[in-house]
Amino acid sequence: MPNAPFPMPNAQCPIPYSPLPMKDLTRRQFITVTALTAGFALAVHPISLATITTDATNLVAGEVKIPVKDGQIPAYRAMPASGSNFPVILVIQEIFGVHAHIQDICRRFAKLGYLAIAPEMFARQGDVSKITDIQEIVSKVVSKVPDAQVMSDLDATVDWAQKSAKGNIDKLGITGFCWGGRIVWLYAAHNPKVKAGVAWYGRLASDSTPLTPKQPIDLAATLKVPVLGLYGGKDDLIPNDTVEKMQQLLKTGTSGSEIVLYPDTPHGFNADYRPTYREKEANDAWKKLQDWFKKHGVV
């Protein structure tokens, strides 16, 4: 049912939706996740032999705590061991949380000279790293995360990067995968400080709910920040006609955003720890990401 208003999750990378009411961001909320997992989320095992592992040589890398409105959330941070005033990249997780793959992505950015930081976006709703069933991750955790909470936590992360980690937020970029790909589009519309974004196979369209009132396709024509979308032509979660509609709407605006659609490529093609990984397309997309950030001043 590709055009159903509430997309059904699958084993590749489920896209959740929830009709639950919005919760206020107050200090009375309880943050359940206080530390990151050291490895891969249990739901993604077994891990592929193609998994890329980036070492931390000449880096400062590890977990940090980000002060937010109702306490603090854990995040993974990686940056060069020497220097300062680093350009900042926000790295937004898939539904599996800030597990080993997302942490490795941060180290890859740090090797390129960036301060990369991945805050745990599900910290209040639950620890997805310990859940083995993908459907349970969606129903019990991911479907309960409000966009307003995510935007607020990312604002707090940018503030932390500037004040506590030698980050230069005048050179601020964002990238994210699957669930995080959608967030890239939203945060680019939310925060004008963002210089550029790169969204990997994030959902573009669906019905509005109290938790998720706007979709990327609603924002395309008025977007000001340039976002590069990286999508697969054989993505069974994001129909090609939706991608094409997004492309047309982006052309009516002034952001200069673009979408690359890789033919015969599935959802999750950059997830090197999973069967959906496509090395050729992933490598090409990673190069396009670097070029995009350079072109738009995130260096």
Side-chain angles (χ1 to χ4, degrees):
M1 297 184 297
N3 296 316
F6 300 99
M8 297 300 292
N10 75 4
Q12 283 190 348
C13 190
I15 297 180
Y17 236 89
S18 170
L20 297 176
M22 181 76 73
K23 293 183 179 180
D24 292 331
L25 296 177
T26 73
R27 292 189 179 275
R28 291 190 296 275
Q29 283 184 277
F30 179 64
I31 296 179
T32 60
V33 178
T34 58
L36 302 176
T37 182
F40 286 92
L42 294 181
V44 303
H45 288 260
I47 305 304
S48 169
L49 294 177
T51 301
I52 297 170
T53 301
T54 304
D55 65 59
T57 304
N58 297 322
L59 302 181
V60 174
E63 184 174 328
V64 295
K65 305 296 184 185
I66 306 296
V68 293
K69 290 184 176 181
D70 47 349
Q72 60 182 16
I73 60 173
Y76 188 86
R77 177 267 282 118
M79 65 183 184
S82 61
S84 61
N85 206 37
F86 303 118
V88 176
I89 301 291
L90 298 172
V91 179
I92 315 301
Q93 67 206 49
E94 315 143 303
I95 70 158
F96 306 114
V98 183
H99 66 152
H101 175 63
I102 298 301
Q103 295 172 24
D104 198 89
I105 294 289
C106 289
R107 293 193 297 274
R108 296 176 206 179
F109 276 114
K111 293 282 188 178
L112 296 173
Y114 293 99
L115 161 62
I117 183 163
E120 178 49 70
M121 300 278 86
F122 307 154
R124 297 167 189 77
Q125 281 71 34
D127 186 354
V128 296
S129 72
K130 303 296 193 295
I131 302 174
T132 59
D133 182 72
I134 289 178
Q135 303 290 341
E136 186 177 347
I137 289 175
V138 173
S139 63
K140 291 187 175 180
V141 179
V142 183
S143 64
K144 299 179 181 179
V145 180
D147 286 345
Q149 171 187 294
V150 175
M151 298 299 107
S152 178
D153 285 353
L154 289 177
D155 287 344
T157 302
V158 172
D159 187 60
W160 181 91
Q162 180 182 36
K163 294 178 179 177
S164 305
K166 304 179 181 179
N168 179 2
I169 64 168
D170 289 328
K171 296 181 177 181
L172 175 64
I174 183 171
T175 193
F177 306 85
C178 187
W179 182 89
R182 173 181 175 271
I183 297 301
V184 169
W185 295 102
L186 299 188
Y187 196 69
H190 167 81
N191 186 354
K193 287 287 290 183
V194 175
K195 287 284 190 181
V198 178
W200 301 72
Y201 35 85
R203 186 182 67 228
L204 296 171
S206 197
D207 285 354
S208 171
T209 76
L211 290 184
T212 55
K214 294 286 186 180
Q215 303 305 320
I217 208 160
D218 301 324
L219 306 169
T222 57
L223 192 65
K224 300 295 189 290
V225 172
V227 175
L228 174 65
L230 301 169
Y231 288 79
K234 289 293 180 69
D235 191 324
D236 61 352
L237 296 175
I238 304 171
N240 285 354
D241 59 354
T242 302
V243 175
E244 292 164 4
K245 182 178 180 182
M246 184 74 173
Q247 288 173 315
Q248 293 304 314
L249 287 170
L250 289 171
K251 290 177 182 178
T252 69
T254 60
S255 69
S257 298
E258 301 174 7
I259 291 181
V260 175
L261 187 64
Y262 290 97
D264 302 318
T265 303
H267 192 83
F269 64 85
N270 191 64
D272 51 73
Y273 63 99
R274 291 161 64 193
T276 56
Y277 179 55
R278 298 294 183 269
E279 182 179 11
K280 178 182 176 182
E281 289 80 2
N283 288 341
D284 182 76
W286 184 250
K287 182 181 184 301
K288 283 182 168 59
L289 171 148
Q290 293 178 62
D291 292 343
W292 190 259
F293 283 147
K294 289 176 182 177
K295 177 180 178 180
H296 295 289
V298 190
V299 291

